[in-house]
Amino acid sequence: MINVAIDGPAGAGKSTIAKAAAKKLGFIYVDTGALYRAIALNAVRNDALGDEDKLNEMLKTTDVSLDFDENGTQCVILNGEDVSSLIRTPEISMGASKVSSVPAVRAFLLDLQRNIAKNNNVIMDGRDIGSVVLPNADVKIFLFASPECRAERRYKELVEKGENVTYEDVLADVNQRDYQDSHREIAPMKPCEDSVMADTTGNTLEQSIDMIVNIIKGDK
């Protein structure tokens, strides 16, 4: 099996780029951030966000899994419900950053992620895939872009969805998320020593996809 680990900050395009690269290569794409978002959604529903004791208790009755259709498209299942369309809001994004700093949550999801990689050729993206989840991955990539570039992309996405947001607020969220992810005690976001650094600032989507595919082909 070939395992590819892609790490990097929020809004760098990891999910979109990794998904497209996986399709080109015939791999399974695993968006680990979606798993944390599902936990965050459940925490919001159970009034457990920010309360580690409540979170730990909630995990005892939480079931999260990934399903893949015939095209390899990922669906996130939370307690039997497909929540794929409910976990992409700014509130759940910030919630995911909070729950991902809780050791019990990381341990809860670790085996699920590793089992998927054990049985499939995968491209898996997140914050600590190369360092913690798949430390022996065949290829490790740290995908990044400037905060301004990432905020501009995210702002356009939200406006297209009809959200009432400002670029300044989105940029502030990006910077806050970066700080939370890189300064947490458990598995902080940072490149591995053996990561290939991939800067997507100023790239078109196709340029970024081609860059990642070429890195993977070159390292295989």
Side-chain angles (χ1 to χ4, degrees), residues 30-81:
V30 182
D31 172 12
T32 64
L35 299 173
Y36 286 98
R37 287 170 179 269
I39 297 294
L41 175 63
N42 206 31
V44 169
R45 288 175 170 180
N46 288 275
D47 194 30
L49 198 62
D51 186 323
E52 196 162 332
D53 289 336
K54 279 188 177 181
L55 264 177
N56 289 340
E57 194 62 30
M58 181 197 80
L59 291 174
K60 295 176 184 177
T61 57
T62 298
D63 181 64
V64 179
S65 62
L66 298 178
D67 280 350
F68 300 91
D69 64 20
E70 63 276 5
N71 297 315
T73 302
Q74 173 184 276
C75 299
V76 185
I77 311 299
L78 170 66
N79 298 330
E81 175 190 359

XYZ file of all heavy atoms in Angstrom, residues 30-81:
393
model
N -8.625 10.643 2.153
C -9.129 10.674 3.526
C -8.936 12.083 4.108
O -7.809 12.516 4.346
C -8.412 9.640 4.424
C -9.008 9.674 5.832
C -8.520 8.238 3.831
N -10.032 12.777 4.317
C -10.029 14.124 4.903
C -10.177 13.977 6.414
O -11.284 13.884 6.935
C -11.185 14.924 4.298
C -11.397 16.266 4.980
O -10.531 16.683 5.770
O -12.434 16.905 4.706
N -9.043 13.926 7.127
C -9.116 13.708 8.576
C -9.744 14.891 9.289
O -10.342 14.735 10.356
C -7.722 13.432 9.168
O -6.889 14.583 8.995
C -7.081 12.238 8.482
N -9.624 16.082 8.703
C -10.253 17.247 9.312
C -11.752 17.074 9.436
O -12.378 17.570 10.385
N -12.347 16.337 8.488
C -13.789 16.098 8.531
C -14.171 15.273 9.752
O -15.257 15.437 10.313
C -14.233 15.389 7.255
N -13.261 14.376 10.172
C -13.536 13.577 11.369
C -13.589 14.468 12.607
O -14.475 14.324 13.460
C -12.463 12.505 11.535
C -12.345 11.481 10.403
C -11.119 10.586 10.617
C -13.605 10.637 10.309
N -12.621 15.398 12.697
C -12.612 16.319 13.835
C -13.812 17.267 13.782
O -14.372 17.639 14.822
C -11.297 17.105 13.872
C -10.136 16.256 14.337
C -9.275 15.667 13.416
C -9.913 16.013 15.686
C -8.223 14.864 13.838
C -8.869 15.214 16.117
C -8.028 14.638 15.187
O -7.004 13.836 15.607
N -14.209 17.639 12.580
C -15.388 18.487 12.449
C -16.644 17.755 12.922
O -17.534 18.339 13.535
C -15.556 18.932 10.986
C -14.545 19.976 10.538
C -14.610 20.188 9.030
N -13.670 21.207 8.589
C -13.948 22.510 8.472
N -15.166 22.930 8.784
N -13.035 23.360 8.068
N -16.705 16.444 12.631
C -17.851 15.655 13.080
C -17.903 15.598 14.604
O -18.980 15.704 15.208
C -17.773 14.241 12.492
N -16.733 15.433 15.220
C -16.675 15.446 16.688
C -17.116 16.816 17.215
O -17.862 16.912 18.208
C -15.253 15.122 17.190
C -14.832 13.714 16.774
C -15.170 15.275 18.709
C -15.612 12.591 17.406
N -16.657 17.878 16.550
C -17.032 19.234 16.970
C -18.541 19.439 16.844
O -19.175 20.031 17.728
C -16.283 20.277 16.140
N -19.129 18.963 15.751
C -20.582 19.076 15.567
C -21.315 18.354 16.693
O -22.286 18.873 17.262
C -20.982 18.491 14.213
C -22.480 18.435 13.919
C -23.074 19.837 13.874
C -22.744 17.693 12.604
N -20.844 17.161 17.018
C -21.469 16.403 18.103
C -21.305 17.122 19.439
O -22.217 17.128 20.270
C -20.852 15.010 18.177
C -21.795 13.984 18.785
O -23.010 14.095 18.651
N -21.241 12.982 19.452
N -20.134 17.753 19.622
C -19.890 18.500 20.861
C -20.831 19.700 20.971
O -21.371 19.983 22.054
C -18.435 18.962 20.916
N -21.045 20.397 19.863
C -21.976 21.530 19.867
C -23.385 21.045 20.202
O -24.108 21.642 21.006
C -21.959 22.250 18.498
C -23.115 23.243 18.396
C -20.628 22.976 18.296
N -23.767 19.938 19.594
C -25.103 19.393 19.833
C -25.290 18.953 21.287
O -26.410 18.970 21.803
C -25.355 18.202 18.902
C -25.560 18.587 17.441
C -25.685 17.344 16.561
N -26.118 17.683 15.213
C -26.300 16.776 14.245
N -26.081 15.490 14.493
N -26.695 17.158 13.052
N -24.191 18.544 21.920
C -24.267 18.037 23.292
C -23.758 19.030 24.333
O -23.531 18.653 25.486
C -23.479 16.728 23.407
C -24.157 15.567 22.727
O -25.015 14.914 23.300
N -23.785 15.303 21.466
N -23.562 20.284 23.889
C -23.090 21.336 24.792
C -21.803 20.919 25.500
O -21.632 21.159 26.699
C -24.179 21.675 25.820
C -23.884 22.980 26.554
O -23.237 23.867 25.954
O -24.274 23.109 27.729
N -20.893 20.283 24.734
C -19.655 19.777 25.327
C -18.418 20.503 24.815
O -17.303 20.208 25.250
C -19.517 18.277 25.034
N -18.603 21.453 23.911
C -17.459 22.163 23.353
C -16.802 23.026 24.428
O -17.449 23.839 25.074
C -17.908 23.037 22.179
C -16.822 23.510 21.213
C -16.159 22.318 20.529
C -17.426 24.432 20.150
N -15.514 22.813 24.646
C -14.802 23.576 25.665
C -14.840 22.957 27.042
O -14.257 23.496 27.979
N -15.526 21.822 27.183
C -15.607 21.128 28.466
C -15.040 19.721 28.274
O -15.714 18.837 27.746
C -17.066 21.062 28.935
C -17.214 20.492 30.340
O -16.453 19.569 30.693
O -18.110 20.964 31.077
N -13.790 19.526 28.711
C -13.101 18.264 28.435
C -13.798 17.073 29.093
O -13.856 15.983 28.517
C -11.640 18.345 28.882
C -10.780 17.245 28.297
C -9.295 17.564 28.362
O -8.916 18.759 28.348
O -8.513 16.604 28.429
N -14.336 17.256 30.291
C -15.033 16.157 30.965
C -16.269 15.730 30.173
O -16.528 14.530 29.985
C -15.446 16.566 32.385
C -14.249 16.684 33.321
O -13.215 16.031 33.039
O -14.341 17.435 34.315
N -17.034 16.716 29.701
C -18.219 16.412 28.900
C -17.824 15.752 27.582
O -18.511 14.839 27.101
C -19.022 17.694 28.616
C -19.929 18.141 29.747
C -20.809 19.287 29.272
C -21.789 19.723 30.350
N -22.653 20.821 29.878
N -16.717 16.231 26.997
C -16.240 15.646 25.742
C -15.890 14.177 25.934
O -16.273 13.321 25.126
C -15.004 16.407 25.237
C -15.199 17.502 24.197
C -13.858 18.167 23.890
C -15.814 16.947 22.927
N -15.133 13.893 26.983
C -14.736 12.510 27.261
C -15.958 11.616 27.439
O -15.979 10.471 26.969
C -13.852 12.449 28.507
C -12.473 13.045 28.273
O -12.030 13.163 27.139
N -11.807 13.431 29.343
N -16.965 12.131 28.116
C -18.191 11.357 28.333
C -18.936 11.166 27.014
O -19.457 10.074 26.725
C -19.082 12.088 29.345
C -20.217 11.257 29.913
C -19.741 10.043 30.702
O -18.639 10.090 31.307
O -20.471 9.025 30.690
N -18.964 12.226 26.212
C -19.662 12.169 24.923
C -19.050 11.122 23.990
O -19.758 10.421 23.255
C -19.611 13.550 24.258
C -20.324 13.655 22.917
S -19.808 15.128 22.001
C -18.227 14.566 21.308
N -17.725 10.983 24.026
C -17.039 10.051 23.134
C -17.473 8.602 23.367
O -17.401 7.775 22.448
C -15.520 10.166 23.302
C -14.881 11.464 22.795
C -13.405 11.500 23.158
C -15.071 11.625 21.292
N -17.917 8.310 24.559
C -18.338 6.937 24.885
C -19.541 6.494 24.056
O -19.747 5.302 23.837
C -18.671 6.826 26.380
C -17.476 7.032 27.302
C -17.908 6.994 28.761
C -16.742 7.284 29.707
N -17.173 7.310 31.129
N -20.338 7.460 23.605
C -21.532 7.122 22.822
C -21.466 7.721 21.416
O -22.489 7.897 20.751
C -22.797 7.639 23.530
O -22.690 9.063 23.743
C -22.996 6.944 24.866
N -20.250 8.052 20.976
C -20.068 8.652 19.662
C -19.543 7.618 18.668
O -18.597 6.890 18.961
C -19.069 9.826 19.725
O -19.594 10.839 20.601
C -18.843 10.431 18.347
N -20.162 7.557 17.512
C -19.701 6.675 16.444
C -19.451 7.523 15.196
O -20.381 8.156 14.678
C -20.732 5.589 16.146
C -20.265 4.645 15.046
O -19.257 3.947 15.253
O -20.889 4.627 13.970
N -18.200 7.557 14.759
C -17.842 8.307 13.555
C -17.178 7.344 12.572
O -16.328 6.543 12.956
C -16.858 9.456 13.872
C -16.487 10.217 12.594
C -17.457 10.415 14.878
N -17.581 7.428 11.327
C -16.962 6.583 10.308
C -16.954 7.310 8.978
O -17.628 8.338 8.805
C -17.712 5.252 10.174
O -19.048 5.477 9.763
N -16.161 6.791 8.051
C -16.109 7.324 6.696
C -16.633 6.272 5.740
O -16.261 5.099 5.831
C -14.673 7.691 6.314
C -13.976 8.766 7.143
C -12.546 8.963 6.660
C -14.733 10.079 7.086
N -17.493 6.687 4.823
C -17.938 5.822 3.736
C -17.404 6.389 2.434
O -17.203 7.610 2.308
C -19.469 5.765 3.671
C -20.060 4.812 4.697
O -19.275 4.063 5.318
O -21.290 4.830 4.868
N -17.161 5.521 1.483
C -16.668 5.953 0.174
C -17.559 5.354 -0.908
O -17.829 4.148 -0.897
C -15.218 5.497 -0.035
C -14.256 6.044 0.981
C -13.981 5.349 2.149
C -13.639 7.268 0.790
C -13.102 5.847 3.093
C -12.764 7.779 1.727
C -12.495 7.070 2.883
N -18.017 6.201 -1.836
C -18.820 5.663 -2.930
C -17.912 5.087 -4.008
O -16.695 5.032 -3.850
C -19.771 6.726 -3.498
C -19.046 7.906 -4.150
O -17.857 7.764 -4.520
O -19.674 8.969 -4.310
N -18.507 4.653 -5.126
C -17.725 3.983 -6.164
C -16.685 4.898 -6.801
O -15.723 4.433 -7.413
C -18.651 3.416 -7.251
C -19.453 4.440 -8.034
C -20.747 4.861 -7.329
O -20.962 4.420 -6.178
O -21.516 5.627 -7.933
N -16.859 6.219 -6.654
C -15.890 7.174 -7.191
C -14.828 7.569 -6.170
O -13.970 8.407 -6.449
C -16.609 8.442 -7.685
C -17.560 8.162 -8.823
O -17.216 7.439 -9.755
N -18.767 8.719 -8.755
N -14.913 6.967 -4.981
C -13.948 7.300 -3.942
C -14.303 8.544 -3.163
O -13.524 9.023 -2.343
N -15.507 9.109 -3.398
C -15.941 10.309 -2.688
C -16.269 9.960 -1.241
O -16.965 8.976 -0.966
C -17.178 10.927 -3.358
O -16.853 11.240 -4.719
C -17.604 12.203 -2.639
N -15.782 10.777 -0.340
C -15.920 10.505 1.088
C -17.206 11.093 1.676
O -17.570 12.231 1.380
C -14.718 11.115 1.814
C -14.773 11.062 3.324
C -13.592 11.762 3.951
O -12.528 11.189 4.097
N -13.761 13.022 4.312
N -17.900 10.302 2.486
C -19.043 10.768 3.271
C -18.718 10.573 4.744
O -18.133 9.556 5.123
C -20.302 9.979 2.930
S -20.828 10.107 1.208
N -19.080 11.537 5.568
C -18.801 11.460 6.999
C -20.087 11.075 7.723
O -21.100 11.762 7.611
C -18.284 12.811 7.533
C -17.873 12.678 8.988
C -17.119 13.309 6.690
N -20.016 9.966 8.443
C -21.194 9.439 9.135
C -21.009 9.618 10.640
O -20.056 9.104 11.222
C -21.411 7.944 8.819
C -21.352 7.699 7.299
C -22.726 7.468 9.406
C -22.407 8.436 6.501
N -21.916 10.355 11.265
C -21.894 10.590 12.707
C -23.134 9.957 13.320
O -24.257 10.362 13.019
C -21.861 12.094 13.006
C -22.062 12.503 14.469
C -20.907 12.016 15.335
C -22.221 14.030 14.580
N -22.917 8.943 14.140
C -24.029 8.250 14.800
C -25.128 7.872 13.798
O -26.326 8.047 14.052
C -24.603 9.111 15.926
C -23.580 9.379 17.018
O -22.696 8.564 17.267
N -23.688 10.526 17.663
N -24.698 7.355 12.645
C -25.635 6.881 11.631
C -26.155 7.947 10.689
O -26.892 7.641 9.750
N -25.794 9.212 10.894
C -26.285 10.327 10.073
C -25.166 10.847 9.174
O -24.046 11.079 9.619
C -26.775 11.454 10.985
C -27.207 12.721 10.248
C -27.453 13.898 11.186
O -27.303 13.723 12.421
O -27.768 14.992 10.694
